[in-house]
Amino acid sequence: MHWTTIADRWRLLAIPVVLAVFVAAWVAHPAYQMADFSAFPAAGFDTTVVSQEADFEQGFASSDLHDFVHSPSVAALPGGDLMAAWFAGSREGAADVEIRGARYDAISGVWGDEEILVTREMTRRAIGKPIRKLGNPVIAFAPDQRLWLFYVSVSVGGWAGSAVNAMVSDDLGVSWSKPRQLVTTPFVNISTLVRTAPVFHADGSIGLPVYHEFLGKFPEYLYMDAEGRVIDKFRIADGTNSLQPTVVPLSPKRAVALLRQAGDEGHVLATVTEDAGRTWQPEREVAPWNPNTSLAAVRSAAGSLLVAQNNLIDGRFNLSLDETTESLSEWSLVTSLDASPDPWGKPFPQLRYKELLSEKFLTSSGLARQSLLDEYLNEIDQRMCRNGMCDFEYEYPYMIRATDGRYHLVYAWNNSFIKHVAFNDAWLEAQL
């Protein structure tokens, strides 16, 4: 009994020592030089295949009428096709949420029917652990011609208990590998979420902007090899109130990250890296307001940044496209992409709301979805109305610039559809 007790004590003493060594090994970044960003310079864009006339296009990527939809992303495929992904279910965080997607055909200019990409059960079988809910898919086309899909799953608790999963397709999304969970923390592997577009480095490695919500809120830069194996991760900001970083390379080593302000009221936050994502300057506030909501940014052909955001003190009733300098010191409005008819975002009585929503639907839907209007109007009171008063809501933008120079933006439209907007440099110049 005496020897057993001594052995047990040694084991108890050894546990914190082993944990300390493990943590030290995890956080001690090896002395390697990260590869340059491959998204720069812009000379890799072939804009000759895009019309030089001002061109603006909009339509719904999703087609289901009955589910709440949220957190979309989009990838540009060879030949001008697109593939979008989002999550859909009875509500955010519900057990019935699925990761869905749809494909855009560049020749016909039409989005196809949506399909199920991932379910809870598919994820559970693949990773071998219980899955309570899914969320936030990020789809991206890599320079090696493979299509990646990252998404969030939760096994225990809320979003703070999340992990990131990865799938890859070698045939442009026709078939996918089994989900694989990324190991991003040494213990339990919880509280890593993804929302914004990855950045590809010149050697094929992947920089995935992620964020943390357990015992604090802060963004990180997850550095992976070309096969999606985690090499390292770096803190983007040390604060407790920033989420969902959108990273835009400005030179081979320099990039800016715009951050969601996770407080009740505040401005967009920003930080800069000068060593391809390894270290980041202290975060700072910039001019636009951010009502605790996601934003997206890309570099334009002129070298400025285009930012899709809810530049509002409160609410998500207006989604604007803004332009700013690389220094983020000067901002100007390009256009309002979608907005409530009321400039202050006040709700409308349901009858009036249906009239206004009908107009917006017919403008936004694209020809392929216009036949859904009457059936859709029977569903709106479940999603956008409370006590006979109804709101407009446009949120969670995700924006890319395709290699043909065309810009593509997707966002959640009134919790009901995923809307796609596309435009070229000629249209952008006309707005400016």
Side-chain angles (χ1 to χ4, degrees), residues 29-63:
H29 301 305
Y32 59 82
Q33 184 172 351
M34 293 174 67
D36 291 350
F37 296 121
S38 64
F40 184 92
F45 293 94
D46 180 11
T47 59
T48 60
V49 298
V50 174
S51 171
Q52 300 307 302
E53 299 294 325
D55 182 38
F56 179 89
E57 176 186 347
Q58 58 185 343
F60 290 149
S62 61
S63 55

Side-chain angles (χ1 to χ4, degrees), residues 1-14:
M1 185 70 176
H2 173 71
W3 289 105
T4 303
T5 303
I6 293 176
D8 289 342
R9 288 176 178 174
W10 274 109
R11 278 193 291 269
L12 289 173
L13 289 172

Side-chain angles (χ1 to χ4, degrees), residues 233-253:
K233 69 173 180 178
F234 307 96
R235 186 75 68 89
I236 293 178
D238 288 326
T240 60
N241 62 339
S242 54
L243 299 170
Q244 298 174 346
T246 179
V247 176
V248 184
L250 304 176
S251 77
K253 296 290 187 186

Side-chain angles (χ1 to χ4, degrees), residues 35-40 139-144 146-148 150 197-209 221 223-226 247 249 252 398:
D36 291 350
F37 296 121
S38 64
F40 184 92
I139 194 166
F141 189 63
D144 64 4
R146 292 190 296 174
L147 191 61
W148 285 91
F150 303 97
V199 176
F200 295 99
H201 292 250
D203 64 350
S205 55
I206 304 169
L208 186 64
Y221 193 69
Y223 190 52
M224 300 178 288
D225 66 17
V247 176
Y398 186 106

Side-chain angles (χ1 to χ4, degrees), residues 323-341:
E323 184 185 42
T324 181
T325 54
E326 286 190 9
S327 64
L328 308 179
S329 59
E330 299 176 29
W331 291 78
S332 59
L333 175 68
V334 177
T335 189
S336 178
L337 295 163
D338 251 320
S340 167

Side-chain angles (χ1 to χ4, degrees), residues 261 265-268 285-293 295 309-314 322:
Q261 168 73 263
E265 181 179 303
H267 291 268
V268 172
E285 288 191 344
V286 290
W289 290 95
N290 182 258
N292 195 2
T293 186
L295 66 159
Q309 59 189 341
N310 298 114
N311 188 356
L312 301 164
I313 295 177
D314 188 33
D322 299 297

Side-chain angles (χ1 to χ4, degrees), residues 58-65 86 101-104 110-114 361-362 364-374 376 417-418:
Q58 58 185 343
F60 290 149
S62 61
S63 55
D64 181 85
L65 294 175
W86 61 92
R103 188 178 297 268
Y104 174 87
V110 173
W111 284 93
D113 292 336
E114 61 186 76
F361 181 96
L362 293 174
S364 299
S365 63
L367 291 174
R369 307 291 194 239
Q370 287 190 1
S371 62
L372 301 175
L373 175 59
D374 290 340
Y376 169 58
F417 290 94
I418 301 303

